[in-house]
Amino acid sequence: MDGDLGDFLRSRRARIRPEDVGLPSYGRRRVPGLRREEVAQLAGVSVDYYIRLEQGRGPGGTSRTKSGGVSDAVLDSIARVLRMNATEHAYLRTVARPPKKQARRRNTPPGVRPGVQLLLDSMDRTPAFVLGPAMEALAWNALGDALHGFSGLPPARRNLVRHLFLEPEGRDLYPEWSAVAAQCVATLRLSAGAHADNSGVRELVGELSLKSEDFRRLWADHQVRACLYGEKRFRHPVAGLLTLSYESLTLPETPEQTLVVYTPEPGSETAERLALLGSWASTSA
């Protein structure tokens, strides 16, 4: 997405105080954080060079596609100065050196392999599903469907981010909606950097930017975060309050697909409620 590199760099330097990096602070500043000149000095590059990066231009050209000439050493140095974590550092490399753009076309995600669907169906005690690069649901098992209701939605609405921001039940499903929303947007931005020419990602960001003020605010923060594992709470209309651990695994042969599995604590109230939800789902089916 055009402007991602410059916007990301500006957002990162805005959070660094001069005293954090050993520079004197001369009174109040017009804008928070480091100046571009200070970042360039600390990173060991010329001011003009750094300004071109923030403008999305390459070191020696005017086109964003020429930024592929940025070296690892320069990006590493800028990441160090701006105190980026490993995820932010990797994202910087991705948006600074995007792959060569192809002719715009709708990206049709590859179907989920039959073996993966068989794996999903074998997990009869845990909700599980497969997501595409725009966090759209591509496949699921019975409990995953019972938890999120994928099968009852048209394909265009089987998207976790869209459901979270645009559907009323999306807010009701998560007791800690604000934290889930921030994590979801940070994960989507990470995916958007890796799949810059994916039309599904671009269209989703465009739609949510138009329709959701909460999404616009979170997207403008330029947070990036990998959602690999953790714990999430649900307020399900049938099962009640559920506390589930999750693991997100990239499928090796289709790295744009992610397998997400939720697991309850054995013997917990959530495990009992999840079993009841499974019985309810099979009866309803």
Side-chain angles (χ1 to χ4, degrees):
M1 271 152 240
D2 294 339
D4 278 356
L5 174 59
D7 290 341
F8 181 64
L9 287 173
R10 283 187 288 272
S11 71
R12 297 309 89 178
R13 67 179 171 86
R15 67 182 182 176
I16 307 296
R17 299 176 303 173
E19 53 268 33
D20 292 338
V21 292
L23 292 176
S25 179
Y26 299 106
R28 296 185 62 183
R29 297 186 171 214
R30 290 183 300 172
V31 293
L34 296 178
R35 299 185 177 97
R36 291 181 295 187
E37 295 83 356
E38 292 167 335
V39 176
Q41 175 189 351
L42 292 168
V45 299
S46 72
V47 175
D48 184 59
Y49 186 107
Y50 182 77
I51 289 175
R52 285 201 299 267
L53 286 181
E54 278 208 2
Q55 292 175 342
R57 296 185 289 138
T62 58
S63 170
R64 183 172 184 266
T65 60
K66 291 188 178 181
S67 60
V70 186
S71 70
D72 285 344
V74 168
L75 295 177
D76 293 348
S77 184
I78 291 173
R80 174 184 53 79
V81 170
L82 298 181
R83 299 193 171 188
M84 296 184 186
N85 60 34
T87 301
E88 293 169 334
H89 192 169
Y91 178 78
L92 173 65
R93 288 193 177 197
T94 299
V95 295
R97 296 186 299 210
K100 185 178 180 180
K101 291 187 176 182
Q102 304 296 323
R104 286 285 170 83
R105 63 183 187 281
R106 173 166 290 279
N107 301 90
T108 303
V112 172
R113 291 191 298 106
V116 175
Q117 184 64 63
L118 186 62
L119 175 65
L120 289 172
D121 294 336
S122 70
M123 300 178 186
D124 56 354
R125 297 184 181 182
T126 58
F129 46 89
V130 174
L131 298 178
M135 299 178 73
E136 70 276 27
L138 304 177
W140 50 84
N141 65 3
L143 266 179
D145 193 21
L147 183 63
H148 286 286
F150 296 129
S151 64
L153 298 172
R157 293 172 58 192
R158 294 171 185 164
N159 184 289
L160 293 189
V161 193
R162 191 185 188 284
H163 185 263
L164 188 67
F165 285 95
L166 299 186
E167 306 289 351
E169 58 269 27
R171 290 180 178 266
D172 297 337
L173 186 59
Y174 302 100
E176 290 87 19
W177 184 88
S178 295
V180 173
Q183 170 71 78
C184 208
V185 173
T187 303
L188 180 63
R189 181 170 281 285
L190 196 61
S191 181
H195 304 93
D197 284 335
N198 183 285
S199 60
V201 176
R202 298 180 70 91
E203 289 168 10
L204 176 67
V205 171
E207 179 188 13
L208 294 177
S209 296
L210 288 173
K211 296 181 179 179
S212 171
E213 181 179 349
D214 288 318
F215 180 86
R216 285 196 301 273
R217 172 178 52 81
L218 290 169
W219 189 255
D221 285 343
H222 287 268
Q223 298 298 319
V224 290
R225 204 177 312 155
C227 189
L228 302 177
Y229 60 89
E231 187 177 271
K232 194 173 290 185
R233 295 206 307 157
F234 298 85
R235 189 188 295 113
H236 194 272
V238 173
L241 190 63
L242 303 171
T243 301
L244 297 166
S245 298
Y246 66 86
E247 297 284 341
S248 300
L249 308 171
T250 300
L251 298 179
E253 292 189 6
T254 49
E256 69 278 8
Q257 295 181 358
T258 303
L259 171 65
V260 181
V261 181
Y262 289 110
T263 54
E265 183 72 24
S268 65
E269 189 173 8
T270 290
E272 295 176 1
R273 291 179 176 181
L274 205 57
L276 290 175
L277 179 61
S279 298
W280 171 83
S282 60
T283 302
S284 300

